[in-house]
Amino acid sequence: MTTTAAAPSRDRMPRTGIRRGEALAGWVFTLPVLLILGVFLLVPVVMALWVSVSDWSGRGSPFSGNVGFVGLDNYAAITTDGGLATRDFGTALRNNAWYVLLVVPLQTALALFLAVLVNRAVLRGRGVFRTAFYFPSVTSSVAITVLWLFLFSATGVVNEILSWVGINGPNWFNDPSGIVHNALAGLGITSGPPALTDNDFLGLSWWNWLAGPSVAMSALMLMAIFTTSGTFMLLFIAALQNVGVETTEAALMDGANAWQRFWFVTLPQLKPTLFTVLTLGLIGCWQVFDQIYTGTQGAPGKTTVTPAYLSYSSAFLGQDWGQGAAIAFILFGIIVFFTIVQRWVLRDRPVSRRRARRYEVSAPKARTTGGDAR
C-alpha cells in the first residue's frame, strides 16, 4: 500500500521572502523621488499656504515666532473688502476669463485642423509642414513676445497690411478698450442698462465684465494661439494615427461623406486626446504670466493683468506676500474646478434607451436578412 504525500496547501505557502523583498525594493527605488517631491513640491506648497493666512513680511522664516496668524484676512482683502485690491483682482479675473474663453477653443480647433491636414497621405512634404507648424512652440516665449510687440506696434507690419485693404489699424498695445464694447459702439450702444451698470462683482460692474478682452489682450491672445497650436497638433497627429482604418472604411461603405466620417467616427475616438488638450490648454491659459511680464506688465490700464501676474506683483513688487499667496491658491482652486467640470462634460455617457431600442430592432432585421440570404 502506497501513500502519497499531500500537496502543501496554497494557503499555507509562505508569503514572505520574494514579496517582502519586492516591497522593500519598490520603496528603495521610489524613495528618492518621494524625497525630491517632498522637498521641492510639498514643503513649498505648505509654506505658501501658511503665508496666505499669515502676516509674513518677506523677511526671515515664515515659521518664525514673530509671524502671526491672520486667518482669511488676505483672502477677504482681494474678494470682499471692495478696495483697490479687490478691484485689481476682479480686473485680472475678468481679463483671464476672456483669455481662457477665446484661446482654449480656438487653439484646440486650429490644432485639430492642422493635425488632420498634415495627417493626410496625399499631402506632399508633410514633414516640412509639421516642422513649420511646430516651430513656434519650441521658440522662446520671450523672443516671440518681443517679435509680437514689433509686429503689432502702431507702425508695425500688421497695421501696414491692414492699410492695404483700407483699414486703419489700432495702436494695439496701447488701446485699453474692450472689443465687445467697441463692437457695440459701432452699433450705437455706448452704455449698458442699469441692471448691468448698477450691480458689480469683485469691484467691477457687470457691464465692465462684459467688455470683452482689450485690444492689447487680443493681440496677446493671437500670440498664444499661434505658439501653442503646434504642440497640441502633435498630440492630435499621434491620436489620428491610432484611429482604426476599418471603422472609417465601414462608414465610407455606408455612404457617409467626409464630414460625417470625421464627426461621427474619427472625433469620438479622439475624446481622450481632446480631454488632454483641453485640460493642458485650460491650465496654461489660467497660468499665463511670461507674455505679460515681458510684454505689457499689465498695461494699458491693467487690461492685460492676469491673476498669475497679479500674484507676482502683489508679493514681489508690493511686498504683500500674504495677498500674493492667497491669489495663487484661489487661482489653483479655479483651475481644479474647471478641470473637474471639463472632465464631467467629456465623460463617457451610457447609450440612451431610445438608441438602445433602435439597435435592438435593427439587429433582428440584420439576422433575418442574413438568414434569407443563406
Side-chain angles (χ1 to χ4, degrees):
M1 184 176 180
T2 59
T3 59
T4 58
S9 175
R10 301 185 66 180
D11 295 337
R12 297 179 181 178
M13 291 291 290
R15 297 183 179 273
T16 59
I18 295 179
R19 290 191 178 182
R20 182 175 297 176
E22 289 178 349
L24 180 60
W27 281 109
V28 169
F29 282 112
T30 58
L31 186 60
V33 178
L34 294 177
L35 291 176
I36 293 174
L37 291 178
V39 173
F40 294 101
L41 180 63
L42 182 60
V43 173
V45 168
V46 173
M47 292 179 64
L49 183 61
W50 167 248
V51 170
S52 69
V53 294
S54 67
D55 58 355
W56 185 53
S57 61
R59 299 178 180 179
S61 173
F63 300 105
S64 61
N66 57 354
V67 177
F69 176 75
V70 297
L72 299 178
D73 289 352
N74 292 322
Y75 292 88
I78 59 178
T79 56
T80 59
D81 283 0
L84 180 61
T86 302
R87 183 176 179 84
D88 287 345
F89 180 68
T91 302
L93 204 60
R94 185 272 311 269
N95 298 338
N96 215 154
W98 280 105
Y99 189 96
V100 172
L101 183 64
L102 296 177
V103 171
V104 172
L106 289 177
Q107 72 182 6
T108 304
L110 179 59
L112 182 57
F113 171 76
L114 294 177
V116 173
L117 182 65
V118 301
N119 193 56
R120 296 174 61 89
V122 297
L123 181 66
R124 295 182 178 180
R126 290 182 295 172
V128 176
F129 286 103
R130 292 177 183 179
T131 304
F133 294 148
Y134 182 66
F135 185 75
S137 300
V138 298
T139 306
S140 171
S141 61
V142 176
I144 293 291
T145 304
V146 174
L147 175 63
W148 223 252
L149 291 174
F150 169 73
L151 293 176
F152 283 83
S153 63
T155 57
V157 177
V158 174
N159 282 352
E160 180 66 22
I161 295 176
L162 292 177
S163 65
W164 295 349
V165 293
I167 299 177
N168 186 18
N171 192 357
W172 291 89
F173 289 106
N174 291 296
D175 192 342
S177 60
I179 59 175
V180 175
H181 280 183
N182 291 342
L184 293 176
L187 300 176
I189 303 175
T190 57
S191 61
L196 297 178
T197 57
D198 295 343
N199 298 294
D200 65 271
F201 176 66
L202 292 178
L204 293 180
S205 67
W206 288 109
W207 176 249
N208 287 331
W209 276 93
L210 298 177
S214 66
V215 175
M217 181 62 86
S218 301
L220 294 175
M221 291 163 54
L222 292 175
M223 181 178 65
I225 296 171
F226 173 75
T227 55
T228 57
S229 299
T231 302
F232 298 144
M233 176 197 69
L234 293 183
L235 298 178
F236 280 124
I237 289 176
L240 286 171
Q241 292 178 350
N242 290 325
V243 172
V245 181
E246 298 80 6
T247 56
T248 305
E249 292 178 350
L252 181 62
M253 295 179 63
D254 288 339
N257 56 33
W259 171 253
Q260 290 173 335
R261 293 196 303 271
F262 172 77
W263 186 259
F264 295 105
V265 178
T266 303
L267 191 59
Q269 298 183 69
L270 299 179
K271 183 180 289 186
T273 305
L274 184 63
F275 171 76
T276 301
V277 169
L278 289 174
T279 302
L280 293 177
L282 185 73
I283 295 173
C285 287
W286 276 112
Q287 292 180 340
V288 59
F289 171 79
D290 48 351
Q291 297 92 337
I292 308 300
Y293 178 78
T294 59
T296 61
Q297 296 187 354
K302 299 181 180 180
T303 57
T304 60
V305 172
T306 61
Y309 181 79
L310 184 63
S311 175
Y312 158 79
S313 61
S314 298
F316 290 91
L317 301 181
Q319 296 297 305
D320 199 335
W321 299 90
Q323 289 189 16
I327 294 173
F329 277 98
I330 292 177
L331 182 60
F332 170 75
I334 292 174
I335 293 174
V336 172
F337 170 77
F338 280 106
T339 302
I340 294 174
V341 171
Q342 185 172 283
R343 178 71 175 178
W344 179 81
V345 172
L346 295 178
R347 73 189 188 280
D348 292 330
R349 295 177 175 83
V351 180
S352 63
R353 294 182 178 179
R354 185 182 64 179
R355 297 184 65 182
R357 285 196 299 267
R358 186 188 307 171
Y359 296 144
E360 292 172 357
V361 171
S362 60
K365 290 182 179 179
R367 288 194 295 268
T368 304
T369 305
D372 294 342
R374 289 191 297 270

